[in-house]
Amino acid sequence: MNALPFAFAYPAILGALIALPVIWWLLRLTPPHPKSEIFPPLKILASVLKREETPAQSPWWLTLLRMLLAATIIFAIADPVFNPRTSSLASGGPLVLFVDNSWAAAPDWERRVQTADALIDDAESAGMPVSIAFTADPTNDAVPGTAAAARDKLRAAEPRPLAPDRKRAFQALRSALNGIRPGTLAFLTDGAAAEADDATVRQLADLQPADLRLIEGDAARTIAITAANNAADAMTVKVTRLNAAHAASVALNAVDSQGRSIANGRVDFRPGQSVATSSITAPFEMRNDFARISVDNGATAGAVHLLDDAFKRRRVVLLSGAGGDEFQPLLSPLYYIQRALQPYADLIQPGDSDLSVAIPKLLASNPSIIIMADIGRLPEDTYEPLTRWISNGGMLLRFAGPRMAAAPADDPLIPVILRQGERALGGTLSWSEPQSLAEFPNFGPFSGIARPSDVVVKRQVLAEPTPDLAERTWASLADGTPLVTMKPLASGQIVLFHVTAEATWSDLPISGTFVDMLRHLLQISRSGGVTSEARGNARVAETLPPFRMLTAKGALISETGSARPLTPKAGTEPTANFDNPPGLYGSEDGFTSLNVLPEGAELKPLDTAGATAVREGLIGGESWSAKPALFLAAFLLLLADSLIVLFMNGAFSRMRPAARTMSVIAIALAAAFLLQPGTLHANDSQPGDDLILQRLDNTHLAYVVTGEQEVDNISERGLEGLTQFLTFRTTLEPAPPVGLDLTTDELAFYPIIYWPVSATAPMPSTAAISRIDAYMRNGGTVLFDTRDQISALDNGGNVSANGQRLQEILANLDIPPLEPVPSDHVLTKSFYLLQSFPGRYAGSPLWIEARQGGGRETTEKSAATADGVSPILITGNDFAGAWAVDDNGVPMLPTVPSDEGQREYAYRSGVNIMMYMLTGNYKTDQVHVPDLLERLGQ
């Protein structure tokens, strides 16, 4: 906020520069260099008595170095400040701050507060009153007051997720000033026009301030999404920006209701282009999960576009004039509609065949669309509630049929006047051959759908010609007769297909075009919550309570604050205001989104024509003092001068070579430390990164370190033995086993962790148990081994000490139901065909997660989320003891009973467990059944 690039805080100190010539003359005088003489005392004495000492001059470069040192100290004391800010308030009136606290001010709000605070400080120093008004606040007390009061208002203010209402704020300001002319009037603006003809700057100039300042932030960060349309194959997004001077590319994110980014796109702006349209391509099912579209790193409410139930799955009511035939479903009037809409909507059918009873009940569920297939006459008492429902935003979709063709022509719930009877091939109102479809018009919802060449119509109901028939026709036949017509009714629509919903009148229901047409109608329909029944059947629009509010920085919060319920008005789109700020209105069952800017809005720069204002930028971190850097430079110059003097006086020449070398090294290290302070940290080298890469580079078997050396040694040697066996017998070549500290080590690197349970080892901490629980929940498996041949799960009170310790550990884990490995489990055939899983002992079963459903026919996929892999295995057979080998490959412990065949099967058990960990339920695939049967000899 100052034109000068820098200034001195204490400029009087610069007067010391006048003394530099004197300093130059003094620095030119130095004592003579010392001279070495032979010891004889008399000769030295004679030489001293005869010598007349004269001062010698120092070298010019040393004098220059000292002059530079003196000048640096003088400049440092004077404290040069770059981009300084100076008080320059105009006198003769109060300081007036007109502050935009809109959504566009959110990214640099702290700098705005800092700028306003600095101006208030200046006014306080000058004894001026201060008036402050905020354009996004509903009320303003802008009467000039003390600087402290203005500072309190500034601290209490915050950016709001609204466009600024500058007219209201200006009226409050003008009333508060009551004819008083401001001294300095600072407009801290977001830079965007609030409306088409925003004359705020001219109005502020009309207050006749002595000094009008326009203080702006970074316009390049002001960007907003103004529309999003869920089209047939992509989500189209319209984006507008404030600064259109340069080309730009902006990333877009589509986020679901859990805050996860599930799709993305990009919008590109050309130079001079302020509005651009892009698309986010994703499958329809994925687009149905979009909860909001946001600009990447936008961090404003305008950069977020909330999506409501209109973009989500709809509730559709199906009504038919004829009952369905379960023996001939293809002839059912609703069969093809159900197949077309079932993947995309919740379909509801009446539970009562009496439409006068069924329709009011169905309306109470707030459907988006009601589909009627060949219903000609409706009960009289259903017309009023149906009409009210349509008027409040519902869509009535009707299909023709024999009943409609015979119905009266004055039905108010038919969009056009129909001729009596139907037009059929060979009938009275006939054509010589079946008619194909014409191209879909570009103004209807079917625009963009390719015309089907294989669909023909053999029969239809005809519409009487009217002046507006063409503009209400969404699809027609090749001869121009309407195929799909519509009529708006307040906020809703009535749509009629002039053919039946099954394939007797046309081929349309059995074509892919029929599915596309219904999906497009589904997308333009309103979601639930469009109507409500009031007492006395009075027609009232439903009020929607605030559900989730949007903050100025683009985050959804549950705190609704002072937001009032939203009352939709037929035919008009709601706009964000003080009573209804942007957010979601409704409930979990259904809500409507209200965004910051109306659809199709465009950001334009603030109009300053006709007003003389000084443009300035926000203050912030651009002001900085050079004093620390100058003092550091002076210290380095002083250090260099001292070293030079020592060298010139021969101080280093009298030192021993080793001491001289050490001194140079010490000085160099000290200088390096001073030049790079704070850069030497023990953690900078990140010694763990290499270890992590090693663990990720190959598969490792891991075991829990219990703290008991003998147990840990057997675990390590056991996994080493299994590693060697896997390397020799399979294509898996694991790296050396790893011992884990459950409290500190990363567990996610290992597919399985072997845990030798020991009653004498310390009980794992709560943090360790929690980490193991998270490891198992995320797909890892823990093999608990009590090593005592006693099952800790099915022996009642006969539980060993290790088994009791296991039960204590399991009591703190969220484990699933367990069962012994069934004979048909994938563990029995993942590599070897096994019937049991022995270790050093053979008496304990291997427990795994129980399969759900109670039947053995249940697939392994139901066992766990990690591709059917059980998160827990429990045994007492001491696997590690059977696998353990010494450095020569000799078994360390005997099996019980002593049987090398049992040890072989223990190794095979380990192989099957590892293959099960790495392949999941792969072996349950039926494609392997012939090979397995052949191996079994069947």
Side-chain angles (χ1 to χ4, degrees):
M1 298 178 61
N2 194 300
L4 295 177
F6 71 92
F8 290 92
Y10 307 100
I13 302 298
L14 298 178
L17 294 175
I18 301 175
L20 284 180
V22 178
I23 297 175
W24 170 274
W25 179 76
L26 293 175
L27 291 178
R28 291 287 293 170
L29 303 177
T30 59
H33 295 295
K35 183 178 180 181
S36 299
E37 296 287 354
I38 301 176
F39 177 71
L42 295 177
K43 184 176 181 179
I44 295 175
L45 182 58
S47 175
V48 171
L49 293 176
K50 294 178 180 179
R51 181 176 303 161
E52 181 180 351
E53 294 185 359
T54 57
Q57 293 184 343
S58 64
W60 67 269
W61 48 269
L62 181 58
T63 303
L64 182 62
L65 177 66
R66 293 172 176 175
M67 290 289 295
L68 183 60
L69 171 60
T72 302
I73 294 175
I74 294 173
F75 277 106
I77 297 174
D79 192 9
V81 178
F82 286 81
N83 298 322
R85 183 188 171 278
T86 59
S87 174
S88 57
L89 296 182
S91 59
L95 168 66
V96 176
L97 299 177
F98 196 69
V99 184
D100 278 340
N101 59 330
S102 62
W103 65 269
D108 49 16
W109 178 249
E110 297 301 326
R111 292 183 61 196
R112 293 176 185 273
V113 171
Q114 186 177 356
T115 302
D117 196 33
L119 291 171
I120 294 174
D121 289 343
D122 294 343
E124 187 175 32
S125 300
M128 296 180 181
V130 180
S131 171
I132 186 168
F134 299 94
T135 61
D137 283 358
T139 59
N140 279 288
D141 180 11
V143 176
T146 64
R151 193 176 291 111
D152 291 340
K153 295 178 184 178
L154 180 64
R155 295 289 182 267
E158 60 181 3
R160 297 179 179 269
L162 295 168
D165 190 348
R166 295 179 179 133
K167 285 185 176 179
R168 178 188 297 214
F170 176 76
Q171 292 298 332
L173 176 63
R174 184 169 59 181
S175 299
L177 292 177
N178 194 23
I180 300 175
R181 291 183 56 184
T184 294
L185 196 159
F187 181 15
L188 279 74
T189 176
D190 58 21
E195 52 190 10
D197 186 17
D198 192 336
T200 304
V201 178
R202 292 193 295 273
Q203 291 174 339
L204 293 175
D206 290 342
L207 296 178
Q208 299 180 354
D211 177 22
L212 178 59
R213 300 182 185 181
L214 199 63
I215 304 176
E216 300 175 277
D218 184 7
R221 302 174 65 180
T222 305
I223 189 168
I225 301 176
T226 58
N229 179 34
N230 201 354
D233 53 359
M235 177 77 73
T236 59
V237 182
K238 182 178 289 185
V239 183
T240 179
R241 61 173 178 166
L242 182 59
N243 185 359
H246 306 287
S249 181
V250 178
L252 301 175
N253 287 329
V255 181
D256 65 5
S257 58
Q258 303 298 320
R260 299 168 297 192
S261 178
I262 57 178
N264 54 72
R266 184 167 291 277
V267 58
D268 297 317
F269 290 92
R270 299 187 303 273
Q273 183 183 14
S274 60
V275 179
T277 301
S278 183
S279 62
I280 300 177
T281 304
F284 177 82
E285 295 79 7
M286 185 176 293
R287 283 184 279 122
N288 204 31
D289 290 335
F290 291 177
R292 62 183 183 270
I293 311 296
S294 61
V295 174
D296 195 18
N297 298 324
T300 65
V304 174
H305 193 82
L306 300 176
L307 307 178
D308 55 22
D309 294 347
F311 292 85
K312 300 183 184 298
R313 194 176 180 91
R314 311 300 200 279
R315 183 174 291 130
V316 178
V317 169
L318 302 180
L319 299 174
S320 173
D325 188 349
E326 60 179 333
F327 299 105
Q328 292 180 312
L330 298 181
L331 299 180
S332 171
L334 299 176
Y335 178 81
Y336 296 104
I337 297 176
Q338 289 175 324
R339 296 302 182 274
L341 294 181
Q342 196 165 21
Y344 316 111
D346 295 327
L347 306 182
I348 304 174
Q349 298 194 49
D352 197 314
S353 57
D354 185 356
L355 293 182
S356 62
V357 177
I359 288 179
K361 292 182 179 179
L362 295 171
L363 290 177
S365 65
N366 294 333
S368 301
I369 303 178
I370 294 179
I371 298 180
M372 296 182 179
D374 191 22
I375 293 180
R377 298 173 185 266
L378 287 167
E380 188 65 29
D381 57 352
T382 62
Y383 280 95
E384 182 182 354
L386 275 173
T387 302
R388 187 164 59 251
W389 172 80
I390 297 170
S391 299
N392 282 309
M395 176 185 287
L396 177 63
L397 175 59
R398 304 188 69 171
F399 286 85
R403 293 176 178 81
M404 180 175 287
D410 58 350
D411 189 340
L413 297 183
I414 291 180
V416 294
I417 301 174
L418 297 178
R419 293 183 181 182
Q420 291 295 311
E422 71 271 6
R423 181 186 187 191
L425 183 64
T428 305
L429 301 172
S430 65
W431 50 76
S432 58
E433 60 183 11
Q435 291 291 305
S436 60
L437 270 63
E439 296 287 346
F440 294 107
N442 57 9
F443 60 83
F446 308 140
S447 175
I449 300 179
R451 183 185 71 86
S453 59
D454 55 346
V455 172
V456 293
V457 176
K458 302 182 288 292
R459 177 177 291 184
Q460 69 169 157
V461 292
L462 284 175
E464 290 284 359
T466 57
D468 60 347
L469 181 60
E471 64 187 42
R472 288 162 53 186
T473 299
W474 282 352
S476 59
L477 301 180
D479 64 354
T481 55
L483 177 66
V484 181
T485 55
M486 66 78 63
K487 179 179 74 173
L489 184 60
S491 297
Q493 295 170 322
I494 302 174
V495 182
L496 171 64
F497 277 72
H498 291 238
V499 294
T500 58
E502 28 77 27
T504 56
W505 285 23
S506 72
D507 298 333
L508 181 62
I510 59 176
S511 69
T513 304
F514 185 69
V515 178
D516 291 338
M517 294 172 74
L518 291 183
R519 284 178 56 185
H520 279 64
L521 290 176
L522 197 67
Q523 291 175 14
I524 67 171
S525 67
R526 292 281 301 273
S527 63
V530 297
T531 185
S532 63
E533 299 297 332
R535 184 174 301 176
N537 290 330
R539 175 184 167 187
V540 290
E542 181 180 5
T543 57
L544 304 175
F547 175 50
R548 296 285 188 272
M549 294 294 101
L550 192 67
T551 67
K553 293 189 176 181
L556 275 177
I557 58 174
S558 58
E559 177 62 38
T560 58
S562 60
R564 296 184 179 181
L566 178 67
T567 303
K569 297 181 180 179
T572 61
E573 289 293 329
T575 57
N577 52 50
F578 296 116
D579 293 333
N580 299 123
L584 303 177
Y585 290 81
S587 65
E588 289 283 359
D589 298 328
F591 48 79
T592 294
S593 64
L594 183 60
N595 289 291
V596 177
L597 299 178
E599 185 173 355
E602 181 179 350
L603 293 176
K604 294 183 178 180
L606 192 65
D607 185 13
T608 59
T612 302
V614 178
R615 290 183 177 270
E616 297 178 355
L618 300 174
I619 68 172
E622 70 274 9
S623 296
W624 58 279
S625 172
K627 179 190 290 187
L630 290 175
F631 272 123
L632 177 62
F635 175 77
L636 295 177
L637 291 174
L638 178 61
L639 181 62
D641 180 84
S642 301
L643 293 175
I644 291 172
V645 171
L646 290 175
F647 273 107
M648 291 179 63
N649 290 337
F652 289 97
S653 63
R654 293 192 294 270
M655 297 176 63
R656 295 182 179 180
R660 187 187 313 156
T661 303
M662 292 302 297
S663 299
V664 172
I665 293 175
I667 293 173
L669 291 176
F673 179 79
L674 290 172
L675 289 175
Q676 297 182 352
T679 60
L680 299 179
H681 299 286
N683 294 331
D684 285 355
S685 60
Q686 296 295 334
D689 292 348
D690 294 338
L691 182 60
I692 291 174
L693 292 175
Q694 291 176 9
R695 297 289 160 67
L696 293 175
D697 190 53
N698 207 336
T699 301
H700 294 262
L701 307 184
Y703 65 93
V704 174
V705 176
T706 63
E708 297 182 341
Q709 184 174 0
E710 182 179 356
V711 175
D712 296 340
N713 183 53
I714 293 298
S715 298
E716 180 182 10
R717 300 312 306 173
L719 296 187
E720 177 62 31
L722 180 59
T723 297
Q724 295 176 12
F725 191 89
L726 287 165
T727 303
F728 296 148
R729 298 289 185 92
T730 72
T731 57
L732 177 63
E733 298 181 1
V738 176
L740 297 178
D741 183 342
L742 297 180
T743 306
T744 59
D745 290 337
E746 179 57 59
L747 309 180
F749 301 148
Y750 313 101
I752 186 171
I753 296 175
Y754 177 76
W755 190 332
V757 180
S758 175
T760 57
M763 179 68 184
S765 65
T766 303
I769 295 295
S770 298
R771 298 187 79 226
I772 277 289
D773 192 45
Y775 167 79
M776 296 167 61
R777 231 181 2 254
N778 292 329
T781 297
V782 180
L783 172 56
F784 292 95
D785 193 342
T786 57
R787 304 172 295 116
D788 53 12
Q789 198 180 3
I790 300 175
S791 174
L793 302 180
D794 63 352
N795 281 280
N798 186 21
V799 179
S800 66
N802 289 351
Q804 292 178 356
R805 173 55 60 87
L806 174 61
Q807 292 179 356
E808 293 173 2
I809 295 173
L810 298 183
N812 298 314
L813 289 174
D814 183 16
I815 63 172
L818 304 176
E819 66 176 355
V821 176
S823 59
D824 61 343
H825 194 275
V826 67
L827 262 173
T828 64
K829 52 194 172 186
S830 60
F831 195 86
Y832 293 105
L833 295 176
L834 300 176
Q835 300 299 322
S836 61
F837 300 88
R840 281 191 67 211
Y841 311 106
S844 175
L846 180 61
W847 293 81
I848 62 170
E849 180 180 356
R851 294 182 292 191
Q852 304 301 311
R856 290 288 179 252
E857 70 278 0
T858 306
T859 64
E860 299 300 327
K861 291 183 180 180
S862 64
T865 58
D867 200 17
V869 175
S870 174
I872 184 172
L873 304 175
I874 298 177
T875 186
N877 286 337
D878 192 8
F879 282 153
W883 301 333
V885 295
D886 59 18
D887 294 336
N888 297 320
V890 178
M892 296 176 61
L893 300 174
T895 61
V896 180
S898 181
D899 182 3
E900 289 305 310
Q902 179 175 323
R903 191 184 304 276
E904 172 69 20
Y905 276 96
Y907 278 120
R908 293 186 178 188
S909 298
V911 171
N912 274 27
I913 290 173
M914 280 304 300
M915 294 303 170
Y916 173 58
M917 294 300 105
L918 299 176
T919 63
N921 50 28
Y922 164 72
K923 286 293 184 178
T924 61
D925 196 336
Q926 291 298 306
V927 72
H928 300 289
V929 169
D931 294 332
L932 295 175
L933 292 177
E934 182 181 354
R935 290 288 306 277
L936 291 170
Q938 301 180 10

